[in-house]
Amino acid sequence: MRKVSVTAAALGVTLLVSGAHGALAAASTTTKTTKTTTQQTKPVVHTLANLNPVKISAKSTVRLTDVNILNLDEESILTYTLTVKNGDNKTLDLLDYWSKVKTTSGTTYSTSLMTKDKEKKKLSAGSSTTLTYVAKVGKNIKISSLLFQVIKWDFSQANYESLKGQFKVPASYITSTPADQSKTLRVFDTPVKTMINQVAAYTSGDYNYVSVNLDLKNIGYKIFEDPKVKFVIKAASGASYPMSVDSTSTDYKIQPQDSKTLNLMTSIPKSVKLSNMELQIVQDDETSKLSLPIATMQLPNVTNKSLAIETNVEKFIPLGTGKIAVKLTSASLLQSFDEHDLSVRLNFRNTSGSTINIPKYQFEIQTSDGYRLPISTQVMDNLTLQPLEERVLNLNVTIPANVSATKPQLFMSLPAVADSKETFSYPVGIFAVPEVQPSSNMIGQTQFVQTKNGILGATLSSIQRLPWSDGDLVSAKVTIRNTGFKTILLPGMAGQLKVDSANMTNDTKLISTQSIGLLGAGMATDLYVVSRVPSYLDFSQLQVSLLEKIGETTTSEWVQFGHAGAIPELQSVAKGDPYKIDTPDRQEELKVLRSLVYSSSSSDLIYTELEVTNNENHQIDLSQFTGAYQSSNGQSYKASASQIETSAAPDQKSIVSLWARIPKSISTSDIKLIVGEGITDNKLTPIKGEPNGYVNAAALELGGTTSPTLSTTLENMDMLPYKLTVKNAKASLTGSSSVQLSFDYTQTRNMDYAIGEYGHKYLFEVIDSSGHTFEKEFTPETDLRVTSGGSASFSINDIIYENKRSGTFQLNVYDLFDGHKVKLGSKSFYYTTASLE
């Protein structure tokens, strides 16, 4: 950040509003009464054309046609032009003539011809030519105090000189070209008519930035090439200020009868008055090694004024043979701790019928208190617009808290052009940024983005902070809606999050809910900007940006949102109530069926079954759900999940199982399941994919955990979607160490639900009256069929059964999952012996 300095560009000719060509001569006023009217009269203006010519023969004359003085620190450089007309019928020998310049007090200055005129030796009959002479004169010399002499060499004279005549310019005459008139330059091989087009000034910091629009027209018969002349503004005090030429006005060529406009600018201290200024054209001369003034043109008096273009007003900028229209369409201002983030949106439109390569414009915000804030962007790199193509650019800058954010202006400048004096970045447009109020909480707010295909609405739908295994996830949901009447192809995008003042650049991902970027009329899609933050980190401000990808590595900010304060609590869903997921083309509904706590010797396992329904009218791949359990004191445990690995038909219900190991000390009475759609890299997790995060989450109330109804008859033991009934259990003692346990069973399956990989097993536990325990696992539909008349058996071998002839045992049936179990049923039985069978 810096105050505007002399090296800063602040004004461009091409951005000027209609400028008046102020005439040098003031018109007299016209008064009108009821009886008489005084006609307007224009005072006579005397120029060099009013001076009488000097006769050098009966029919040949010499006229003084141009006088210019360039003021330097120690002296001034004078150039004056004599136009010789040969009216005789024979060739005129120009070597017979010379010119001197002296003051009225008698001081004589040495003169020389400009290099371009040194070879002019003969003048054909009936033709004319110009001779420009150069002299170093006193610093404060006035033209009216000079005598311009025409001399013929005459060896009969004592000093070999014969004075043919002289010119004295009265003080009332003007030698510079009036601002409303053209000046034909004949110092080049091709005559070029020059005229001041527009002049304007703009105050910035300690300087007035003055720009001049100079029109050149080739009135000759061959091409005119850039003569590499210099331009200087001469103030009324005599001080000179070199002007810079914008980069589009260098190395040009002008075809015969064609025109070119040069855009010039300079900075002048505010203490210097901008009245009675002149534009001088200066050319380096090979022979004298001096910079010589070759034309002086008056500038109309100019007053400072704002040249900023209002919002949604197009600025037309010529580029080569084409033209672009640029307008500022909108702005937003996000409030932060010690700064404001300003985002402005520019629309570029190619108005021509040919492709235009856009220059690498430079942008900066100039604040109302005089600070310049450069805008860094790669958008302009290799930017090309096809005929009638439009491109929207988003430009962003940070405004420090101690700098005013009211009424800023956007400067759009050509790339800097360096010369020997200064380096200017030449502005081609100044745009007034509309007044906007700083926003800090933008959830629910919509910003409209103009694209080349139509207008899109971008809404910050939600912000969530979600527990995860190695920290928390911050997820911002942005809904993009096509407000137009035709399908739009969305641009490639990236996401960016800023937490307080830190940009989360390393681990931020943009999640798209659809694989194809087409968005139909009136349709919407969701994008999620997701990043990881430490779980212990407290922050109070969040900024969310969508960046448009331009090429392989370049991005441009597309839209920006902000939020201050605490992140909103997650939506809480009461047990039994549905949680609806409205992801486009993947609308689903889920609700909690039951939650259980499984035990082991070292830990517990909390387990939840969700009923998920496909609410679309076509088959879909269900979201791959994941999440975490969170206790009332904020402790969280990442959940594992199991679900179907095939597409779901319309209205089809399936079971999604989630679970996590928790310490035995954790109370599950008020624990919640935070569940959302899994994400992998930059998309929603596909079937069989491994989530590395999740979005679009809700906190499902479990209502505490329950235990299955314990069956004391081993009937209808529930292990969703299965139910098992065990009958006629017998354990036969043989007198050896082996026992054969057999039983009849009925197993049913609830076909209303589809299930994924099923990790549950039945665990049959036999506890002898002596306290010894034996276990056997059975897998549904593998070891135990779905049937109403099944039977199964297993053997137990242990030394305790040797010579055992009677006794009792208890048969327990468990739901076994991930090394943890929950009891489903229990019943006591008597042993039988082989002799009793």
Side-chain angles (χ1 to χ4, degrees):
M1 180 188 70
R2 59 190 185 279
K3 281 282 190 179
V4 180
S5 66
V6 70
T7 60
L11 188 62
V13 172
T14 55
L15 57 80
L16 300 179
V17 295
S18 295
H21 303 294
L24 175 69
S28 63
T29 59
T30 301
T31 60
K32 182 177 180 180
T33 68
T34 57
K35 293 183 179 180
T36 62
T37 301
T38 302
Q39 291 186 348
Q40 186 180 41
T41 61
K42 190 173 183 179
V44 176
V45 176
H46 292 284
T47 66
L48 296 177
N50 297 108
L51 295 175
N52 292 325
V54 171
K55 280 192 170 188
I56 57 175
S57 72
K59 296 183 179 180
S60 297
T61 60
V62 176
R63 284 185 173 275
L64 178 66
T65 53
D66 202 5
V67 179
N68 302 282
I69 287 183
L70 178 64
N71 295 328
L72 302 177
D73 289 336
E74 302 298 332
E75 59 188 358
S76 294
I77 304 298
L78 170 73
T79 64
Y80 62 96
T81 301
L82 301 179
T83 300
V84 184
K85 183 177 180 181
N86 183 2
D88 295 309
N89 56 6
K90 61 180 180 180
T91 298
L92 181 65
D93 191 347
L94 296 178
L95 295 179
D96 288 342
Y97 298 90
W98 190 249
S99 177
K100 286 185 176 182
V101 62
K102 60 170 36 178
T103 65
T104 54
S105 61
T107 302
T108 301
Y109 298 108
S110 175
T111 60
S112 63
L113 278 172
M114 283 187 67
T115 302
K116 68 179 185 65
D117 293 333
K118 285 185 177 294
E119 300 303 318
K120 294 180 179 179
K121 299 177 180 179
K122 302 288 183 180
L123 183 61
S124 301
S127 62
S128 63
T129 190
T130 60
L131 298 171
T132 299
Y133 291 85
V134 181
K136 293 182 179 180
V137 298
K139 178 180 178 181
N140 298 315
I141 201 75
K142 295 184 181 300
I143 292 176
S144 60
S145 65
L146 295 176
L147 298 175
F148 303 91
Q149 297 181 332
V150 179
I151 295 171
K152 183 177 183 181
W153 300 116
D154 186 351
F155 295 102
S156 64
Q157 301 292 326
N159 59 354
Y160 309 118
E161 297 177 0
S162 173
L163 180 64
K164 305 300 293 181
Q166 61 186 14
F167 302 97
K168 184 178 186 303
V169 182
S172 60
Y173 279 40
I174 63 171
T175 57
S176 56
T177 304
D180 58 350
Q181 296 181 22
S182 63
K183 168 76 173 178
T184 299
L185 301 182
R186 300 185 182 276
V187 294
F188 313 125
D189 291 338
T190 304
V192 174
K193 182 183 289 186
T194 65
M195 186 171 183
I196 302 295
N197 185 328
Q198 292 180 346
V199 181
Y202 183 84
T203 300
S204 181
D206 297 328
Y207 294 88
N208 289 315
Y209 292 89
V210 179
S211 69
V212 177
N213 220 354
L214 181 65
D215 288 344
L216 305 181
K217 183 175 182 180
N218 183 356
I219 58 176
Y221 296 96
K222 62 180 181 178
I223 194 169
F224 175 76
E225 297 193 38
D226 178 11
K228 305 301 181 185
V229 295
K230 300 175 182 178
F231 301 91
V232 173
I233 278 188
K234 181 180 178 182
S237 64
S240 296
Y241 300 93
M243 304 198 79
S244 288
V245 184
D246 80 82
S247 60
T248 64
S249 300
T250 57
D251 298 321
Y252 57 87
K253 296 181 181 180
I254 307 177
Q255 298 290 344
Q257 304 306 309
D258 201 1
S259 299
K260 167 74 177 177
T261 298
L262 301 185
N263 306 317
L264 315 172
M265 71 169 301
T266 191
S267 59
I268 300 176
K270 286 199 299 186
S271 59
V272 177
K273 293 184 178 180
L274 302 184
S275 57
N276 300 321
M277 296 189 303
E278 295 175 329
L279 172 68
Q280 291 193 306
I281 303 175
V282 179
Q283 186 180 39
D284 291 335
D285 184 62
E286 294 181 9
T287 302
S288 63
K289 305 301 180 182
L290 297 174
S291 294
L292 306 179
I294 58 175
T296 303
M297 308 180 73
Q298 292 182 354
L299 297 178
N301 291 338
V302 357
T303 56
N304 292 322
K305 59 181 178 180
S306 173
L307 302 175
I309 301 164
E310 296 300 321
T311 305
N312 286 316
V313 176
E314 288 187 321
K315 167 67 184 177
F316 292 91
I317 301 173
L319 284 177
T321 59
K323 185 184 293 183
I324 61 172
V326 184
K327 64 181 178 181
L328 190 152
T329 59
S330 63
S332 61
L333 190 64
L334 300 184
Q335 189 172 9
S336 186
F337 286 114
D338 53 357
E339 59 193 20
H340 291 87
D341 287 330
L342 176 66
S343 177
V344 296
R345 188 168 287 116
L346 275 185
N347 181 279
F348 280 69
R349 180 169 63 92
N350 181 0
T351 65
S352 62
S354 59
T355 299
I356 290 181
N357 295 319
I358 306 299
K360 192 175 180 180
Y361 291 117
Q362 298 171 351
F363 300 93
E364 66 180 15
I365 287 292
Q366 185 162 295
T367 66
S368 58
D369 46 1
Y371 289 92
R372 289 175 49 239
L373 305 172
I375 297 175
S376 177
T377 177
Q378 295 178 303
V379 177
M380 306 309 298
D381 295 350
N382 304 315
L383 178 59
T384 299
L385 292 183
Q386 301 299 322
L388 304 182
E389 181 182 359
E390 292 189 42
R391 177 67 62 85
V392 177
L393 306 182
N394 292 278
L395 305 171
N396 304 280
V397 66
T398 299
I399 302 177
N402 59 342
V403 175
S404 174
T406 61
K407 296 182 179 180
Q409 293 182 338
L410 174 69
F411 279 69
M412 171 177 153
S413 304
L414 285 164
V417 176
D419 57 27
S420 59
K421 299 293 183 181
E422 298 178 279
T423 300
F424 285 103
S425 179
Y426 193 90
V428 296
I430 300 176
F431 300 90
V433 179
E435 191 75 20
V436 289
Q437 294 299 320
S439 298
S440 56
N441 294 290
M442 300 182 69
I443 295 178
Q445 292 188 22
T446 299
Q447 298 185 54
F448 293 95
V449 182
Q450 174 71 54
T451 71
K452 62 181 180 181
N453 294 323
I455 297 177
L456 296 174
T459 304
L460 180 61
S461 298
S462 66
I463 297 175
Q464 297 183 332
R465 184 167 183 171
L466 307 173
W468 196 237
S469 57
D470 53 352
D472 289 348
L473 299 175
V474 175
S475 169
K477 177 182 178 181
V478 180
T479 300
I480 308 297
R481 182 172 298 278
N482 180 1
T483 64
F485 301 98
K486 62 180 180 180
T487 298
I488 289 179
L489 178 64
L490 295 177
M493 292 188 186
Q496 188 176 82
L497 280 180
K498 185 177 180 181
V499 175
D500 288 341
S501 59
N503 279 319
M504 310 296 290
T505 56
N506 295 329
D507 196 33
T508 300
K509 294 181 174 60
L510 180 69
I511 311 301
S512 176
T513 58
Q514 61 183 51
S515 58
I516 300 175
L518 292 176
L519 195 59
M523 296 182 64
T525 188
D526 294 328
L527 301 174
Y528 296 87
V529 183
V530 183
S531 190
R532 298 176 186 269
V533 297
S535 56
Y536 58 81
L537 181 66
D538 290 328
F539 57 89
S540 60
Q541 293 190 344
L542 187 72
Q543 291 183 6
V544 183
S545 300
L546 292 182
L547 310 177
E548 180 181 359
K549 292 182 178 179
I550 302 174
E552 294 295 326
T553 59
T554 303
T555 58
S556 168
E557 187 163 291
W558 198 69
V559 71
Q560 186 182 58
F561 298 95
H563 178 78
I567 291 179
E569 294 288 335
L570 292 177
Q571 176 186 349
S572 184
V573 180
K575 182 180 181 181
D577 288 348
Y579 171 49
K580 293 185 178 181
I581 294 178
D582 293 324
T583 299
D585 204 38
R586 194 180 286 191
Q587 297 194 55
E588 303 160 90
E589 184 177 287
L590 61 150
K591 63 181 178 181
V592 175
L593 288 179
R594 63 175 185 168
S595 287
L596 307 172
V597 174
Y598 292 69
S599 297
S600 72
S601 59
S602 59
S603 63
D604 286 341
L605 184 143
I606 186 168
Y607 173 90
T608 303
E609 289 171 338
L610 303 179
E611 176 188 274
V612 180
T613 305
N614 173 15
N615 284 344
E616 296 284 353
N617 59 6
H618 56 87
Q619 191 159 305
I620 64 171
D621 293 342
L622 293 177
S623 301
Q624 302 301 292
F625 294 100
T626 188
Y629 289 91
Q630 191 172 65
S631 65
S632 58
N633 61 5
Q635 293 173 307
S636 61
Y637 304 89
K638 181 179 176 298
S640 300
S642 174
Q643 63 187 89
I644 63 172
E645 295 181 349
T646 58
S647 297
D651 295 324
Q652 180 179 341
K653 299 181 185 299
S654 65
I655 299 295
V656 174
S657 301
L658 295 105
W659 66 93
R661 296 192 182 199
I662 59 175
K664 285 185 168 294
S665 60
I666 295 296
S667 171
T668 60
S669 60
D670 53 2
I671 200 167
K672 292 182 179 181
L673 173 60
I674 298 174
V675 64
E677 298 178 273
I679 57 173
T680 302
D681 297 328
N682 295 314
K683 59 185 177 181
L684 294 176
T685 302
I687 288 178
K688 298 183 180 180
E690 182 65 30
N692 51 27
Y694 60 114
V695 297
N696 203 21
L700 306 184
E701 295 180 0
L702 305 180
T705 55
T706 60
S707 298
T709 301
L710 186 65
S711 173
T712 58
T713 61
L714 302 186
E715 294 180 350
N716 294 320
M717 293 179 290
D718 192 2
M719 193 169 73
L720 192 72
Y722 300 100
K723 285 190 176 181
L724 178 67
T725 296
V726 174
K727 298 177 293 183
N728 304 321
K730 293 187 295 182
S732 179
L733 299 172
T734 62
S736 65
S737 60
S738 176
V739 174
Q740 183 77 12
L741 192 148
S742 62
F743 57 92
D744 298 327
Y745 69 90
T746 295
Q747 181 171 246
T748 61
R749 174 174 174 172
N750 186 342
M751 300 304 295
D752 291 339
Y753 296 110
I755 60 174
E757 182 178 348
Y758 197 67
H760 297 263
K761 294 181 180 180
Y762 295 112
L763 176 66
F764 280 60
E765 180 184 61
V766 176
I767 302 178
D768 183 71
S769 56
S770 64
H772 288 77
T773 301
F774 308 95
E775 296 178 343
K776 174 64 176 179
E777 297 177 8
F778 291 90
T779 302
E781 295 200 58
T782 300
D783 301 318
L784 301 180
R785 296 175 292 117
V786 174
T787 180
S788 60
S791 61
S793 63
F794 61 93
S795 298
I796 301 174
N797 291 285
D798 195 275
I799 193 172
I800 69 166
Y801 289 108
E802 286 188 3
N803 301 318
K804 191 176 181 70
R805 293 292 181 266
S806 63
T808 61
F809 67 91
Q810 185 172 346
L811 178 60
N812 297 325
V813 180
Y814 293 91
D815 175 357
L816 179 65
F817 182 81
D818 194 25
H820 296 70
K821 61 186 179 179
V822 62
K823 187 181 287 188
L824 302 178
S826 181
K827 188 177 180 180
S828 295
F829 294 92
Y830 289 99
Y831 287 111
T832 62
T833 60
S835 61
L836 297 175
E837 292 180 355

